[in-house]
Amino acid sequence: MNRDAAIDLLDRLHAAQNEFYAGGSDAPLRQLLVPNITWTVPGDNRIAGTYHGLEEVFSYFRRRRDLAGHTFRMKRRDALVGDGDRLAALTDGFATIRRVAHRWSTVGLYHVSGRRITAGWLLPLDQRAFDAIWSG
């Protein structure tokens, strides 16, 4: 995948996620994901799991938005691309949960077909801290 195309896709994905997490429309985000998408979040917390299909993935997105009280934001720090249809993004997350401000970093791995995401895997750089943030 071309680096410029990957960064464009990641920036559109994060902009659409940030809009949705702030309480906006889900339409821009739905346009970037295939109907049979799979999304995996590791750990022992309220958002961990493997989600299949748009409805399950959006259920996860809504849960995350609601737990963060519409404060969750993402910011891409870097992208890694190579031959083929996968890319990785080092991303910082920010949210205020139960009146406590949190920040964490993840690597998002994505499988892309065309200009849409077919699978996503979230890899927290500090799983213990990530679990603590998203546990209740």
Side-chain angles (χ1 to χ4, degrees):
M1 171 170 266
N2 171 292
R3 182 173 171 77
D4 290 336
I7 288 173
D8 177 65
L9 177 60
L10 289 168
D11 288 350
R12 288 186 298 121
L13 173 66
H14 290 158
Q17 286 178 301
N18 286 342
E19 176 183 343
F20 176 77
Y21 288 136
S25 172
D26 67 0
L29 188 50
R30 284 183 183 271
Q31 292 175 358
L32 297 172
L33 310 176
V34 299
N36 62 341
I37 189 167
T38 299
W39 201 276
T40 302
V41 181
D44 184 17
N45 61 67
R46 294 189 286 181
I47 62 171
T50 298
Y51 306 95
H52 303 279
L54 278 177
E55 295 316 308
E56 284 187 18
V57 169
F58 271 90
S59 177
Y60 151 71
F61 287 158
R62 281 188 294 278
R63 184 176 325 114
R64 193 172 204 190
R65 177 191 64 196
D66 295 345
L67 289 170
H70 297 226
T71 66
F72 177 47
R73 300 289 177 273
M74 300 166 53
K75 182 175 180 1
R76 178 185 52 80
R77 289 179 40 197
D78 205 353
L80 177 66
V81 299
D83 293 337
D85 49 12
R86 296 187 189 224
L87 62 106
L90 178 59
T91 304
D92 290 338
F94 310 86
T96 300
I97 302 171
R98 294 180 304 275
R99 289 178 258 181
V100 177
H102 297 279
R103 179 181 176 169
W104 61 93
S105 295
T106 61
V107 173
L109 301 175
Y110 303 98
H111 184 265
V112 178
S113 179
R115 295 180 48 92
R116 298 175 78 192
I117 297 170
T118 65
W121 298 267
L122 187 64
L123 305 170
L125 298 186
D126 183 337
Q127 186 69 57
R128 181 180 292 159
F130 187 83
D131 285 343
I133 290 166
W134 294 105
S135 294

mmCIF file of all heavy atoms in Angstrom, residues 106-127:
data_model
loop_
_atom_site.group_PDB
_atom_site.id
_atom_site.type_symbol
_atom_site.label_atom_id
_atom_site.label_comp_id
_atom_site.label_asym_id
_atom_site.label_seq_id
_atom_site.Cartn_x
_atom_site.Cartn_y
_atom_site.Cartn_z
ATOM 1 N N THR A 106 -1.692 3.039 21.225
ATOM 2 C CA THR A 106 -1.954 1.733 20.640
ATOM 3 C C THR A 106 -1.321 1.656 19.256
ATOM 4 O O THR A 106 -1.004 2.673 18.642
ATOM 5 C CB THR A 106 -3.469 1.462 20.472
ATOM 6 O OG1 THR A 106 -4.011 2.450 19.599
ATOM 7 C CG2 THR A 106 -4.187 1.477 21.808
ATOM 8 N N VAL A 107 -1.176 0.438 18.790
ATOM 9 C CA VAL A 107 -0.905 0.195 17.384
ATOM 10 C C VAL A 107 -2.189 -0.398 16.826
ATOM 11 O O VAL A 107 -2.710 -1.381 17.351
ATOM 12 C CB VAL A 107 0.272 -0.776 17.181
ATOM 13 C CG1 VAL A 107 0.410 -1.139 15.700
ATOM 14 C CG2 VAL A 107 1.561 -0.165 17.701
ATOM 15 N N GLY A 108 -2.725 0.239 15.811
ATOM 16 C CA GLY A 108 -3.867 -0.297 15.102
ATOM 17 C C GLY A 108 -3.373 -0.977 13.844
ATOM 18 O O GLY A 108 -2.648 -0.372 13.054
ATOM 19 N N LEU A 109 -3.694 -2.244 13.689
ATOM 20 C CA LEU A 109 -3.358 -2.983 12.473
ATOM 21 C C LEU A 109 -4.631 -3.110 11.642
ATOM 22 O O LEU A 109 -5.690 -3.453 12.186
ATOM 23 C CB LEU A 109 -2.821 -4.370 12.811
ATOM 24 C CG LEU A 109 -1.574 -4.418 13.673
ATOM 25 C CD1 LEU A 109 -1.225 -5.861 14.020
ATOM 26 C CD2 LEU A 109 -0.415 -3.733 12.995
ATOM 27 N N TYR A 110 -4.528 -2.834 10.361
ATOM 28 C CA TYR A 110 -5.710 -2.824 9.505
ATOM 29 C C TYR A 110 -5.458 -3.610 8.233
ATOM 30 O O TYR A 110 -4.386 -3.521 7.637
ATOM 31 C CB TYR A 110 -6.086 -1.384 9.122
ATOM 32 C CG TYR A 110 -6.327 -0.513 10.317
ATOM 33 C CD1 TYR A 110 -5.333 0.337 10.789
ATOM 34 C CD2 TYR A 110 -7.536 -0.559 10.993
ATOM 35 C CE1 TYR A 110 -5.543 1.130 11.899
ATOM 36 C CE2 TYR A 110 -7.754 0.232 12.110
ATOM 37 C CZ TYR A 110 -6.752 1.067 12.557
ATOM 38 O OH TYR A 110 -6.965 1.851 13.662
ATOM 39 N N HIS A 111 -6.460 -4.369 7.830
ATOM 40 C CA HIS A 111 -6.474 -5.028 6.526
ATOM 41 C C HIS A 111 -7.392 -4.185 5.650
ATOM 42 O O HIS A 111 -8.506 -3.843 6.060
ATOM 43 C CB HIS A 111 -6.995 -6.463 6.641
ATOM 44 C CG HIS A 111 -6.940 -7.207 5.358
ATOM 45 N ND1 HIS A 111 -8.006 -7.291 4.506
ATOM 46 C CD2 HIS A 111 -5.924 -7.880 4.767
ATOM 47 C CE1 HIS A 111 -7.657 -7.998 3.452
ATOM 48 N NE2 HIS A 111 -6.404 -8.370 3.584
ATOM 49 N N VAL A 112 -6.917 -3.859 4.446
ATOM 50 C CA VAL A 112 -7.633 -2.946 3.568
ATOM 51 C C VAL A 112 -7.919 -3.634 2.238
ATOM 52 O O VAL A 112 -7.062 -4.335 1.692
ATOM 53 C CB VAL A 112 -6.799 -1.665 3.331
ATOM 54 C CG1 VAL A 112 -7.501 -0.718 2.379
ATOM 55 C CG2 VAL A 112 -6.499 -0.982 4.656
ATOM 56 N N SER A 113 -9.115 -3.419 1.729
ATOM 57 C CA SER A 113 -9.478 -3.879 0.397
ATOM 58 C C SER A 113 -10.110 -2.700 -0.323
ATOM 59 O O SER A 113 -11.100 -2.139 0.156
ATOM 60 C CB SER A 113 -10.457 -5.045 0.470
ATOM 61 O OG SER A 113 -10.816 -5.467 -0.825
ATOM 62 N N GLY A 114 -9.521 -2.343 -1.447
ATOM 63 C CA GLY A 114 -9.970 -1.121 -2.101
ATOM 64 C C GLY A 114 -9.567 0.043 -1.223
ATOM 65 O O GLY A 114 -8.422 0.168 -0.827
ATOM 66 N N ARG A 115 -10.502 0.851 -0.863
ATOM 67 C CA ARG A 115 -10.228 1.969 0.046
ATOM 68 C C ARG A 115 -11.064 1.832 1.318
ATOM 69 O O ARG A 115 -11.420 2.824 1.960
ATOM 70 C CB ARG A 115 -10.506 3.295 -0.654
ATOM 71 C CG ARG A 115 -9.552 3.524 -1.837
ATOM 72 C CD ARG A 115 -9.768 4.799 -2.578
ATOM 73 N NE ARG A 115 -9.891 5.981 -1.770
ATOM 74 C CZ ARG A 115 -8.881 6.779 -1.424
ATOM 75 N NH1 ARG A 115 -7.664 6.489 -1.816
ATOM 76 N NH2 ARG A 115 -9.093 7.848 -0.693
ATOM 77 N N ARG A 116 -11.358 0.561 1.688
ATOM 78 C CA ARG A 116 -12.174 0.299 2.870
ATOM 79 C C ARG A 116 -11.471 -0.712 3.774
ATOM 80 O O ARG A 116 -10.717 -1.563 3.322
ATOM 81 C CB ARG A 116 -13.547 -0.212 2.457
ATOM 82 C CG ARG A 116 -14.298 0.842 1.629
ATOM 83 C CD ARG A 116 -15.590 0.327 1.105
ATOM 84 N NE ARG A 116 -16.589 0.326 2.160
ATOM 85 C CZ ARG A 116 -17.760 -0.294 2.059
ATOM 86 N NH1 ARG A 116 -18.069 -0.972 0.977
ATOM 87 N NH2 ARG A 116 -18.621 -0.245 3.047
ATOM 88 N N ILE A 117 -11.784 -0.640 5.046
ATOM 89 C CA ILE A 117 -11.160 -1.509 6.043
ATOM 90 C C ILE A 117 -12.002 -2.763 6.201
ATOM 91 O O ILE A 117 -13.213 -2.689 6.422
ATOM 92 C CB ILE A 117 -10.997 -0.752 7.370
ATOM 93 C CG1 ILE A 117 -10.045 0.419 7.149
ATOM 94 C CG2 ILE A 117 -10.512 -1.687 8.473
ATOM 95 C CD1 ILE A 117 -9.971 1.384 8.286
ATOM 96 N N THR A 118 -11.325 -3.922 6.112
ATOM 97 C CA THR A 118 -12.011 -5.203 6.251
ATOM 98 C C THR A 118 -11.773 -5.844 7.616
ATOM 99 O O THR A 118 -12.535 -6.711 8.024
ATOM 100 C CB THR A 118 -11.576 -6.191 5.153
ATOM 101 O OG1 THR A 118 -10.192 -6.493 5.326
ATOM 102 C CG2 THR A 118 -11.804 -5.604 3.762
ATOM 103 N N ALA A 119 -10.709 -5.414 8.308
ATOM 104 C CA ALA A 119 -10.417 -5.944 9.642
ATOM 105 C C ALA A 119 -9.526 -4.963 10.385
ATOM 106 O O ALA A 119 -8.716 -4.264 9.776
ATOM 107 C CB ALA A 119 -9.729 -7.306 9.554
ATOM 108 N N GLY A 120 -9.712 -4.911 11.696
ATOM 109 C CA GLY A 120 -8.879 -4.076 12.544
ATOM 110 C C GLY A 120 -8.512 -4.825 13.809
ATOM 111 O O GLY A 120 -9.317 -5.602 14.340
ATOM 112 N N TRP A 121 -7.279 -4.635 14.250
ATOM 113 C CA TRP A 121 -6.781 -5.216 15.489
ATOM 114 C C TRP A 121 -6.156 -4.092 16.302
ATOM 115 O O TRP A 121 -5.264 -3.393 15.811
ATOM 116 C CB TRP A 121 -5.708 -6.270 15.229
ATOM 117 C CG TRP A 121 -6.171 -7.439 14.435
ATOM 118 C CD1 TRP A 121 -6.652 -8.627 14.919
ATOM 119 C CD2 TRP A 121 -6.171 -7.570 13.011
ATOM 120 N NE1 TRP A 121 -6.946 -9.469 13.879
ATOM 121 C CE2 TRP A 121 -6.664 -8.834 12.691
ATOM 122 C CE3 TRP A 121 -5.800 -6.706 11.965
ATOM 123 C CZ2 TRP A 121 -6.808 -9.279 11.380
ATOM 124 C CZ3 TRP A 121 -5.942 -7.144 10.657
ATOM 125 C CH2 TRP A 121 -6.435 -8.408 10.388
ATOM 126 N N LEU A 122 -6.593 -3.927 17.511
ATOM 127 C CA LEU A 122 -6.063 -2.899 18.396
ATOM 128 C C LEU A 122 -5.039 -3.541 19.331
ATOM 129 O O LEU A 122 -5.334 -4.549 19.976
ATOM 130 C CB LEU A 122 -7.199 -2.289 19.215
ATOM 131 C CG LEU A 122 -6.874 -1.086 20.072
ATOM 132 C CD1 LEU A 122 -6.458 0.082 19.192
ATOM 133 C CD2 LEU A 122 -8.083 -0.719 20.902
ATOM 134 N N LEU A 123 -3.829 -2.962 19.395
ATOM 135 C CA LEU A 123 -2.767 -3.508 20.240
ATOM 136 C C LEU A 123 -2.267 -2.420 21.183
ATOM 137 O O LEU A 123 -1.436 -1.591 20.795
ATOM 138 C CB LEU A 123 -1.615 -4.025 19.373
ATOM 139 C CG LEU A 123 -1.999 -5.055 18.313
ATOM 140 C CD1 LEU A 123 -0.839 -5.306 17.371
ATOM 141 C CD2 LEU A 123 -2.448 -6.332 18.974
ATOM 142 N N PRO A 124 -2.770 -2.378 22.425
ATOM 143 C CA PRO A 124 -2.304 -1.368 23.382
ATOM 144 C C PRO A 124 -0.821 -1.568 23.703
ATOM 145 O O PRO A 124 -0.357 -2.696 23.867
ATOM 146 C CB PRO A 124 -3.166 -1.628 24.620
ATOM 147 C CG PRO A 124 -4.345 -2.397 24.116
ATOM 148 C CD PRO A 124 -3.838 -3.213 22.965
ATOM 149 N N LEU A 125 -0.081 -0.482 23.811
ATOM 150 C CA LEU A 125 1.329 -0.585 24.156
ATOM 151 C C LEU A 125 1.516 -0.961 25.619
ATOM 152 O O LEU A 125 2.534 -1.563 25.969
ATOM 153 C CB LEU A 125 2.054 0.725 23.836
ATOM 154 C CG LEU A 125 2.057 1.134 22.364
ATOM 155 C CD1 LEU A 125 2.926 2.365 22.158
ATOM 156 C CD2 LEU A 125 2.509 0.005 21.462
ATOM 157 N N ASP A 126 0.557 -0.612 26.472
ATOM 158 C CA ASP A 126 0.575 -1.002 27.885
ATOM 159 C C ASP A 126 -0.781 -1.624 28.197
ATOM 160 O O ASP A 126 -1.727 -0.920 28.555
ATOM 161 C CB ASP A 126 0.850 0.214 28.768
ATOM 162 C CG ASP A 126 0.965 -0.127 30.243
ATOM 163 O OD1 ASP A 126 0.433 -1.174 30.681
ATOM 164 O OD2 ASP A 126 1.562 0.673 30.988
ATOM 165 N N GLN A 127 -0.878 -2.940 28.030
ATOM 166 C CA GLN A 127 -2.166 -3.621 28.183
ATOM 167 C C GLN A 127 -2.743 -3.447 29.581
ATOM 168 O O GLN A 127 -3.944 -3.237 29.733
ATOM 169 C CB GLN A 127 -2.023 -5.111 27.856
ATOM 170 C CG GLN A 127 -3.347 -5.862 27.853
ATOM 171 C CD GLN A 127 -4.248 -5.456 26.708
ATOM 172 O OE1 GLN A 127 -3.856 -5.545 25.554
ATOM 173 N NE2 GLN A 127 -5.464 -5.029 27.015
#
